[in-house]
Amino acid sequence: MSAKIISGKLLSQKLNSSLKNSIDQIKGIRAPKLTILQIGDNPASNKYIKHKLKSCKNVGIDCDHIKLDQNTTESELEKIIIDLNKNNKVDGVLVQLPLPNQINEKIIKNLIDPKKDADGFNPITLGNVLLDDTEIYPATPLGIIKLLESENINLAGANVTIIGRSNIVGKPLASILINKSATVTICNTKTKNLAKVCKNADILISAAGSANLVTKKFVNKRMTVIDVGSNFVNGKYCGDVDYDKVKKIVKYITPVPGGVGPMTIACLLENVFKLYLNNIK
Amino acid sequence: MSAKIISGKLLSQKLNSSLKNSIDQIKGIRAPKLTILQIGDNPASNKYIKHKLKSCKNVGIDCDHIKLDQNTTESELEKIIIDLNKNNKVDGVLVQLPLPNQINEKIIKNLIDPKKDADGFNPITLGNVLLDDTEIYPATPLGIIKLLESENINLAGANVTIIGRSNIVGKPLASILINKSATVTICNTKTKNLAKVCKNADILISAAGSANLVTKKFVNKRMTVIDVGSNFVNGKYCGDVDYDKVKKIVKYITPVPGGVGPMTIACLLENVFKLYLNNIK
């Protein structure tokens, strides 16, 4: 027996195609517009932005990439964000992380108007995620929910264990799952006997960023395993899960690459489209 | 063997007394000021507000109680809140819940300036609680943390189970505990085998609002039990815990009354003082 593989690659293609149709159908009005701000020339950021630009183009979102000098000051960046917040032709604003040291990430995240918060990182957006009162969610948690729902995996009453408690994955994801009536356990590096805490879950979501953390000791045969990890081992890209061994045991599993990764971009595009619909109202 | 009782009554008296000293020491400046808005004449609200007024007076917080007619419209209430937001002599604004049906609770909570959010119910405040980037917390979760810390009960790495996922207790409390490196499990009415999920916790926090829900099947001898329940059974005020039986087994327990309840008011007062300090800066 081997797990059913939940392909984020296929699901994201489906979602992107459906989004393209929705955008095409809105005729006579301008295209949705996202502005990506990059500060400096981080090679990983360059690569991510290239992906985002290509994905936007594919679905019909107009995407501006503003690349600023590594030495840009916080107040210079603030001024640009304030102008973008005011510009009603811009629907989404995204500041590519990481930022250089002279710029305070919190201040920048707080400054982006929640009505243009494509990444869903503003505290207001996150507060509304907690309150179950939002259309915009951070893209990775939203992508995970869509992966689970695509297989009709039951969330209400399910025991879900999340490894990792970041502001962009673990904590907002926990809020969403709590609101969907799951019983949610959030683990971190201080968790005692991690394998045991995970072992009986119906759904195990690993967002630890630690290759081969989730071994067969962590899983059971009814389990769905969602691998949010993004690691490089000997030049090879992999998740947190000891995939080849774990997939032989569990019921569903997402691969890396081709699992959560492409869903994150698809959900970012969906956020931009929702912000656009509200903006042109 | 019987559990050590963690008295919220005593701890809140200590905190109130310390707060009174802090307020007394700020000489030559006006007292902190809280405005409580009440709409209608709900008997429970009358009682809670009476408590809050008395507690404010005891510590030296100037407290205005504005009682509006049951038929007050949403826009009338909004206008009053907007005026209070602008009034720099007012440090905290609190709208007593529940509100009559013609008024949308969410709109009102969102309208209170986060800089005057004494209750900590605004989405920005809650987003910042999730992000671990705030001085203001909803009062009941903050009171629970203070009860645990007063006994030096370890939170990092502790297994904490919370029953209940409300916006004012369960969810923000989970965020705070996650940020303090606890392994947190949040249960709800759909949780399968609740007793078993609770049984192995180091700390069990019940905020279900269901008398005698937590029986001896839910607990173990190393456990700390925090009872957030507020129920009436045959005219008697009680929590969620089958107190007499459970206290014989566990290590620490909070009583009802005299546990979490008085801590909530003490933490509300602390919020007002923090808002005041930021306001007079």
Side-chain angles (χ1 to χ4, degrees):
Chain A
M1 267 286 284
S2 191
K4 177 164 182 191
I5 291 159
I6 313 178
S7 168
K9 194 176 165 189
L10 290 178
L11 181 59
S12 66
Q13 284 168 354
K14 222 167 118 179
L15 293 172
N16 287 344
S17 156
S18 153
L19 181 60
K20 186 177 185 316
N21 281 338
S22 302
I23 292 173
D24 285 348
Q25 275 166 27
I26 300 182
K27 289 183 207 279
I29 305 177
R30 67 174 176 78
K33 177 159 182 171
L34 171 67
T35 299
I36 299 177
L37 292 167
Q38 181 184 12
I39 296 87
D41 192 43
N42 179 306
S45 293
N46 288 338
K47 196 180 131 192
Y48 292 135
I49 290 173
K50 201 176 146 193
H51 271 294
K52 289 173 189 171
L53 288 167
K54 193 180 156 197
S55 306
C56 280
K57 195 174 174 191
N58 286 344
V59 299
I61 291 174
D62 184 11
C63 187
D64 260 6
H65 174 204
I66 302 179
K67 196 167 180 170
L68 301 166
D69 189 84
Q70 176 72 21
N71 298 316
T72 301
T73 65
E74 192 173 282
S75 68
E76 284 167 342
L77 180 58
E78 281 176 8
K79 200 186 159 304
I80 293 169
I81 293 173
I82 291 167
D83 285 346
L84 290 168
N85 282 345
K86 284 184 200 154
N87 183 344
N88 65 13
K89 297 271 169 62
V90 172
D91 305 298
V93 176
L94 184 163
V95 176
Q96 185 69 41
L97 303 177
L99 293 170
N101 290 335
Q102 75 273 17
I103 300 177
N104 183 322
E105 190 180 303
K106 277 184 205 166
I107 290 176
I108 297 306
K109 282 180 181 172
N110 288 15
L111 191 62
I112 297 172
D113 187 332
K115 288 179 185 145
K116 305 205 173 186
D117 185 20
D119 261 335
F121 294 166
N122 182 298
I124 301 181
T125 309
L126 292 170
N128 285 324
V129 167
L130 185 140
L131 292 165
D132 200 12
D133 184 28
T134 183
E135 287 183 277
I136 303 300
Y137 296 86
T140 302
L142 180 59
I144 293 166
I145 300 294
K146 285 181 187 283
L147 284 167
L148 293 167
E149 290 182 342
S150 73
E151 294 291 340
N152 296 311
I153 293 163
N154 190 42
L155 298 177
N159 292 319
V160 183
T161 299
I162 301 171
I163 309 174
R165 51 163 170 165
S166 72
N167 290 334
I168 61 176
V169 183
K171 285 189 276 178
L173 178 60
S175 291
I176 301 169
L177 289 164
I178 291 166
N179 290 331
K180 288 187 177 285
S181 302
T183 302
V184 181
T185 300
I186 305 101
C187 302
N188 60 71
T189 50
K190 296 226 166 55
T191 296
K192 294 175 283 189
N193 206 340
L194 183 61
K196 197 181 157 202
V197 176
C198 296
K199 179 84 184 173
N200 291 313
D202 300 312
I203 300 169
L204 174 60
I205 302 168
S206 184
S210 173
N212 291 314
L213 175 72
V214 176
T215 63
K216 54 186 187 174
K217 285 184 194 165
F218 284 56
V219 301
N220 66 59
K221 64 179 185 181
R222 318 167 266 102
M223 188 183 271
T224 298
V225 176
I226 306 286
D227 190 348
V228 196
S230 175
N231 312 297
F232 282 92
V233 175
N234 301 326
K236 204 189 151 203
Y237 183 53
C238 65
D240 291 346
V241 178
D242 184 359
Y243 186 76
D244 291 332
K245 286 180 185 149
V246 167
K247 81 170 175 191
K248 286 182 190 151
I249 302 169
V250 301
K251 195 168 174 193
Y252 293 97
I253 194 166
T254 60
V256 176
V260 173
M263 291 301 294
T264 297
I265 291 192
C267 290
L268 168 69
L269 303 181
E270 191 177 298
N271 275 347
V272 174
F273 184 62
K274 284 180 190 161
L275 294 168
Y276 161 78
L277 290 178
N278 285 326
N279 193 20
I280 61 169
K281 252 181 201 165
Chain B
M1 267 287 285
S2 192
K4 175 163 185 193
I5 292 160
I6 312 179
S7 169
K9 196 177 166 190
L10 290 179
L11 181 59
S12 66
Q13 284 168 354
K14 221 166 117 180
L15 293 172
N16 288 343
S17 158
S18 153
L19 181 60
K20 188 179 184 314
N21 281 338
S22 301
I23 293 173
D24 285 348
Q25 274 167 26
I26 301 183
K27 290 183 206 279
I29 303 177
R30 65 173 177 78
K33 178 158 182 173
L34 171 67
T35 298
I36 299 177
L37 293 166
Q38 181 184 14
I39 296 87
D41 192 42
N42 179 306
S45 293
N46 289 337
K47 197 180 130 195
Y48 292 134
I49 290 172
K50 202 176 145 192
H51 271 292
K52 289 173 189 171
L53 288 166
K54 194 180 154 197
S55 305
C56 280
K57 197 175 171 189
N58 285 343
V59 299
I61 292 175
D62 184 10
C63 187
D64 260 8
H65 175 204
I66 302 178
K67 195 167 181 170
L68 302 165
D69 189 84
Q70 176 71 22
N71 298 315
T72 301
T73 64
E74 191 172 283
S75 67
E76 285 166 342
L77 180 57
E78 281 175 8
K79 199 186 158 307
I80 293 169
I81 293 173
I82 291 167
D83 285 345
L84 290 168
N85 282 345
K86 284 183 201 153
N87 183 343
N88 64 15
K89 296 271 168 64
V90 173
D91 305 297
V93 176
L94 183 162
V95 176
Q96 185 69 41
L97 304 177
L99 293 170
N101 290 333
Q102 75 274 16
I103 299 177
N104 183 322
E105 191 180 302
K106 275 184 206 166
I107 290 176
I108 297 305
K109 282 181 182 171
N110 289 13
L111 191 62
I112 296 171
D113 187 332
K115 288 179 186 147
K116 306 205 173 187
D117 185 20
D119 261 336
F121 294 168
N122 182 298
I124 302 180
T125 310
L126 292 170
N128 284 324
V129 167
L130 185 139
L131 292 167
D132 200 12
D133 184 28
T134 183
E135 286 182 278
I136 302 300
Y137 297 86
T140 302
L142 179 60
I144 293 166
I145 300 293
K146 284 180 187 285
L147 283 167
L148 293 167
E149 290 181 342
S150 74
E151 294 291 341
N152 296 312
I153 292 163
N154 188 43
L155 298 177
N159 292 320
V160 183
T161 299
I162 301 171
I163 310 175
R165 51 163 170 166
S166 72
N167 291 334
I168 60 176
V169 184
K171 285 189 277 179
L173 178 59
S175 291
I176 300 169
L177 288 164
I178 291 167
N179 290 332
K180 287 185 178 287
S181 303
T183 302
V184 182
T185 300
I186 305 101
C187 302
N188 60 72
T189 50
K190 297 228 166 54
T191 295
K192 294 175 283 189
N193 206 342
L194 184 61
K196 197 181 157 202
V197 176
C198 297
K199 179 84 185 173
N200 291 313
D202 301 311
I203 301 169
L204 174 60
I205 302 168
S206 185
S210 174
N212 290 315
L213 174 72
V214 176
T215 63
K216 54 186 186 173
K217 286 184 192 161
F218 284 57
V219 301
N220 66 59
K221 65 180 183 177
R222 320 167 265 103
M223 189 183 268
T224 298
V225 176
I226 305 286
D227 191 348
V228 195
S230 174
N231 312 296
F232 282 92
V233 175
N234 302 325
K236 203 190 152 204
Y237 183 53
C238 64
D240 291 345
V241 178
D242 184 357
Y243 185 75
D244 290 332
K245 287 183 184 147
V246 166
K247 80 170 174 191
K248 286 182 191 152
I249 302 169
V250 302
K251 195 167 175 194
Y252 294 97
I253 193 165
T254 61
V256 176
V260 173
M263 290 302 294
T264 296
I265 292 191
C267 290
L268 168 69
L269 303 181
E270 191 176 299
N271 276 346
V272 174
F273 184 62
K274 284 181 189 161
L275 295 167
Y276 161 77
L277 289 179
N278 284 326
N279 194 21
I280 61 169
K281 253 180 201 166

